[in-house]
Amino acid sequence: MSKNLIELKNLTKRYNDMTAVDSINLTIKENEFVTLLGPSGCGKTTTLRMIGGFEDPDEGEIFFEGKLLNDVPAYKRNINTVFQRYALFTHMNVYENVAFGLRVKKVSNDEIDRRVKRMLKMVDLAGFEKRNVDSLSGGQQQRVAIARALVNEPKVLLLDEPLGALDLKLRKEMQIELLDMQRSVGITFIYVTHDQEEALTMSDTVVVMNKGVIQQIGTPEDIYNEPINRFVADFIGESNIIEGVMLEDYKVSFDGLVLDCVDKGFALNEPVDIVIRPEDIRIVVNPDEGMIKGTVTSVVFKGVHYEMIIESDKREYLVQRTVMFPEGSVVGMNVQPADIQVMKRGDVPCSKEEEEG
Amino acid sequence: MQKAVKRIYMSIVFLFLYAPIIVLIVFSFNKSKSRGQWGGFTFDWYFDLFKDRQIREALYFTLLIAVISTLVSTIVGTIAALGISNMSKIGRTVVLNINNLPVLNPDIVTGVALMTLFISTRIELGFVTMLIAHIVFSIPYVILAVLPKIRQMNKHTAEAALDLGATPAYAMRKVIIPEIMPGIISGALIAFTLSIDDFVISFFTAGTSVTNLSILVYSMARRGVKPTINALSTLMFTTVLILMLIINKKTDKGEDIII
């Protein structure tokens, strides 16, 4: 088991009356790819900036290899950052941008040359040394920014929405390139994004944040298949969220139905939220063979599948299937017990302001 | 047809704008002392200029003041612009409006105000007061030239330098200043041009001990226009023209300049 590299303890940041980051605790291991995921304003970038040393926490501690990092200025931290929109030095060419960190550390010219060339080769920019950074495409600038950070051989690389400015196709390519780089250099990546798909694709661990509070920490599979609350279920992928009641262990009820599920440990008749992913609802042609009867009210072709809205007498269900059922047809819907995710209600973590308000 | 009309119209506008200067330049080469008659081509008035001790002295003060006031106002203005760009939005708006006021204020008001200030604080009018005046009226222009360059810069640029291990001082020297250098240079050029160009404010703050070129031209013209004035004015015009061309050339390269 690799050891802990960074620990955040009760880390808090306030701006005037607003609590941007509210007492978060997080442990990041060596070589881990951790993603902070959440909507804008959830505190993910502020958290990253506190680790980088660009914001001072109001409360709590940051530990780096067991040592307190709070009072260490940014330029003395063995952490490098890839900034939003890269923040390259436009008056320097590609080579000098990448060499900057080494020149600051007074590394010998031979060594600088060797390391910069090797790094540019790694990010596939060999031959671009003399180019002006403004003349590069977005993807190339992105790679210069990564090379400029990685050439310093930091223990941790912070990435603040590094792919946000790229178009979809390039973004997908860069996701794979970034993953390859992270594996080949063996550096801890702390990655900030609001793109849930990006987070699921790349991370070892996803940290879902909302309103300055960590909602859930887990592997991409955990986060997707077993969201801890309504917010996570809603933010990660599409879902049908239904209010129901847990009758007893393995039995949940909603809309007058009683269904088997795989969850236990709730109080008798405890109100809960139920998540059913749209791809987990199976459709049968004969309405009487389904647990739930409904009418198809909308069909949208999405490429891989059809997205249908099926209305029962109680609610609408979002369903994704590769087989299309025409609008107006009456069908039956079935859900496997394992595909019903039951979540506690009322324990939604939220910031203090919200509790007071 | 329409194109021809446009061209003629343009030519007339430019003719009106530049006719006086062209006449001035032509007459600076006029052998005859008369202002209305052409007496043949000569460089005499230009040679006379440099023989004249008074003119040489005025030229010396003009350049000295231009150089020192450019240096000081560029440094002060750049620091101010960096400060302003880091202010809160309200603070920035307030300071920028205060900064723009002297730019729009009539020179005569600025000149009289400075003179009144110097006299009331019992500072003797002379070289120092004129220099201070030039620094004062140049600073707002430097700020206006540097600010857009700072705004253009990615807001994380300074942080990126710190992130890579640079101390704040090193980041300022090696990253921030070079990044905004085009703005600083245009600010300096504008300050230099304004200083050479200025008559009104200089006139009120110079006192009797120093004279710069514009004051000299003014006092010479009051005693009757000598052809040397034409030569001197032509030289001043050419200097400012060259400076403007340099400034504009920098703008062509896609660098921001106001004015």
Side-chain angles (χ1 to χ4, degrees):
Chain A
M1 199 65 221
S2 50
K3 59 175 185 169
N4 293 347
L5 191 64
I6 290 180
E7 278 174 273
L8 310 181
K9 286 196 178 146
N10 300 318
L11 201 62
T12 301
K13 177 75 189 175
R14 296 190 194 88
Y15 297 108
N16 301 325
D17 295 338
M18 217 251 317
T19 306
V21 175
D22 195 354
S23 194
I24 65 167
N25 290 286
L26 180 64
T27 304
I28 295 163
K29 291 186 163 45
E30 253 179 5
N31 297 346
E32 203 178 358
F33 195 125
V34 180
T35 300
L36 306 180
L37 174 69
S40 61
C42 75
K44 56 191 191 303
T45 296
T46 309
T47 305
L48 195 79
R49 289 172 59 78
M50 284 193 279
I51 300 172
F54 306 115
E55 302 280 353
D56 293 325
D58 290 315
E59 276 165 39
E61 290 95 39
I62 305 169
F63 291 98
F64 181 71
E65 296 182 309
K67 288 189 209 84
L68 188 67
L69 200 62
N70 288 41
D71 296 326
V72 180
Y75 59 91
K76 285 188 180 154
R77 297 188 186 192
N78 195 3
I79 294 174
N80 287 116
T81 310
V82 175
F83 289 89
Q84 255 177 39
R85 304 200 161 263
Y86 330 132
L88 297 175
F89 306 137
T90 53
H91 66 284
M92 296 179 190
N93 61 22
V94 171
Y95 184 96
E96 284 306 319
N97 263 279
V98 178
F100 186 86
L102 300 176
R103 294 217 190 278
V104 170
K105 292 182 196 77
K106 304 227 178 338
V107 175
S108 75
N109 279 335
D110 289 350
E111 167 120 10
I112 289 178
D113 200 53
R114 201 171 50 74
R115 280 165 73 175
V116 171
K117 292 233 163 94
R118 194 185 62 202
M119 195 49 67
L120 285 176
K121 204 168 157 192
M122 194 186 101
V123 297
D124 213 14
L125 283 175
F128 283 73
E129 287 85 353
K130 293 275 183 294
R131 288 279 289 274
N132 192 328
V133 290
D134 280 337
S135 71
L136 303 181
S137 71
Q140 289 167 333
Q141 289 188 15
Q142 173 62 65
R143 294 206 289 261
V144 175
I146 292 167
R148 183 178 69 173
L150 284 183
V151 78
N152 303 289
E153 294 168 3
K155 287 249 169 77
V156 181
L157 186 68
L158 309 179
L159 302 103
D160 189 2
E161 307 241 1
L163 309 182
L166 306 180
D167 62 52
L168 185 68
K169 194 162 179 297
L170 197 56
R171 202 155 69 213
K172 300 253 175 202
E173 282 171 25
M174 286 302 296
Q175 285 176 7
I176 295 164
E177 279 190 40
L178 270 178
L179 263 184
D180 284 349
M181 274 182 225
Q182 195 252 344
R183 281 176 193 145
S184 66
V185 292
I187 291 176
T188 305
F189 274 36
I190 306 179
Y191 192 99
V192 160
T193 184
H194 63 266
D195 181 338
Q196 44 101 5
E197 199 189 324
E198 201 165 282
L200 296 180
T201 312
M202 302 175 80
S203 324
D204 297 320
T205 305
V206 179
V207 179
V208 185
M209 293 182 73
N210 187 35
K211 295 187 170 139
V213 179
I214 293 179
Q215 306 288 313
Q216 188 170 5
I217 304 173
T219 64
E221 288 90 345
D222 285 347
I223 300 275
Y224 187 83
N225 292 329
E226 275 151 52
I228 200 164
N229 61 39
R230 186 180 261 269
F231 174 82
V232 177
D234 204 28
F235 194 75
I236 312 289
E238 285 165 302
S239 46
N240 297 289
I241 302 177
I242 303 160
E243 290 180 1
V245 175
M246 199 69 183
L247 298 175
E248 57 189 80
D249 283 355
Y250 311 119
K251 282 250 183 288
V252 67
S253 152
F254 65 90
D255 293 353
L257 298 159
V258 178
L259 300 180
D260 291 329
C261 65
V262 294
D263 299 273
K264 61 178 172 112
F266 293 87
L268 288 181
N269 295 320
E270 183 178 333
V272 290
D273 283 327
I274 301 158
V275 175
I276 305 172
R277 295 290 181 189
E279 67 273 20
D280 292 335
I281 299 178
R282 319 235 165 123
I283 302 177
V284 284
V285 185
N286 182 353
D288 296 330
E289 284 175 20
M291 298 188 279
I292 309 158
K293 204 185 286 183
T295 313
V296 180
T297 56
S298 132
V299 181
V300 179
F301 179 58
K302 290 277 189 179
V304 185
H305 55 249
Y306 293 91
E307 196 167 277
M308 288 166 275
I309 293 172
I310 301 177
E311 220 176 286
S312 75
D313 52 356
K314 292 283 190 340
R315 66 182 67 245
E316 283 181 347
Y317 293 87
L318 185 71
V319 183
Q320 292 167 349
R321 293 274 91 185
T322 48
V323 180
M324 195 266 279
F325 293 83
E327 272 178 44
S329 55
V330 179
V331 294
M333 289 179 280
N334 283 316
V335 186
Q336 300 281 326
D339 293 331
I340 297 174
Q341 162 69 10
V342 180
M343 308 176 302
K344 270 186 187 293
R345 211 192 293 168
D347 72 338
V348 180
C350 64
S351 64
K352 281 169 190 141
E353 272 75 7
E354 258 217 341
E355 281 165 18
E356 284 161 11
Chain B
M1 178 58 201
Q2 213 184 2
K3 217 172 172 183
V5 174
K6 277 185 195 163
R7 285 228 176 115
I8 292 166
Y9 178 74
M10 269 259 285
S11 313
I12 292 172
V13 170
F14 277 114
L15 190 70
F16 269 105
L17 282 174
Y18 283 94
I21 293 166
I22 293 165
V23 171
L24 174 88
I25 294 173
V26 169
F27 273 87
S28 74
F29 297 106
N30 185 7
K31 207 172 235 164
S32 158
K33 270 199 174 189
S34 151
R35 264 177 284 173
Q37 257 178 330
W38 180 255
F41 187 85
T42 179
F43 275 118
D44 285 355
W45 310 120
Y46 287 88
F47 293 124
D48 277 4
L49 267 186
F50 292 98
K51 279 183 220 148
D52 189 328
R53 198 188 55 82
Q54 229 188 343
I55 291 175
R56 280 211 310 271
E57 205 179 272
L59 177 68
Y60 166 75
F61 279 122
T62 303
L63 289 178
L64 189 65
I65 283 180
V67 168
I68 300 175
S69 74
T70 300
L71 273 175
V72 176
S73 60
T74 304
I75 292 167
V76 174
T78 303
I79 294 170
L82 284 167
I84 290 168
S85 66
N86 278 321
M87 289 174 89
S88 69
K89 203 172 173 227
I90 301 163
R92 194 166 55 218
T93 315
V94 171
V95 174
L96 273 181
N97 279 315
I98 294 173
N99 180 63
N100 289 346
L101 202 59
V103 174
L104 302 171
N105 199 24
D107 279 357
I108 186 112
V109 177
T110 309
V112 172
L114 279 164
M115 181 184 71
T116 315
L117 176 75
F118 290 136
I119 290 172
S120 68
T121 50
R122 311 213 184 286
I123 300 171
E124 203 180 327
L125 294 182
F127 178 78
V128 175
T129 52
M130 186 154 95
L131 179 62
I132 292 172
H134 279 232
I135 292 169
V136 166
F137 74 69
S138 298
I139 289 173
Y141 291 93
V142 176
I143 293 177
L144 286 177
V146 176
L147 262 185
K149 210 64 209 169
I150 300 177
R151 283 212 198 107
Q152 256 178 38
M153 195 167 61
N154 183 308
K155 63 178 180 209
H156 297 303
T157 302
E159 287 176 355
L162 296 180
D163 185 76
L164 295 164
T167 59
Y170 188 91
M172 180 58 79
R173 211 152 37 85
K174 294 282 186 175
V175 176
I176 305 299
I177 298 293
E179 288 277 323
I180 60 172
M181 193 45 97
I184 297 176
I185 292 172
S186 5
L189 283 172
I190 292 166
F192 192 78
T193 313
L194 286 174
S195 174
I196 289 185
D197 194 45
D198 176 70
F199 165 69
V200 179
I201 296 171
S202 304
F203 184 75
F204 283 102
T205 53
T208 47
S209 57
V210 277
T211 304
N212 68 1
L213 285 178
S214 54
I215 297 176
L216 186 71
V217 171
Y218 176 73
S219 57
M220 279 162 76
R222 281 177 51 163
R223 277 182 265 127
V225 180
K226 280 195 287 179
T228 41
I229 293 182
N230 295 341
L232 185 56
S233 305
T234 303
L235 284 181
M236 288 174 75
F237 171 76
T238 322
T239 312
V240 173
L241 181 73
I242 289 167
L243 286 171
M244 285 314 294
L245 285 176
I246 296 173
I247 296 177
N248 283 338
K249 185 128 200 232
K250 290 180 65 62
T251 326
D252 283 348
K253 278 193 238 148
E255 286 157 357
D256 274 23
I257 288 193
I258 23 181
I259 284 181

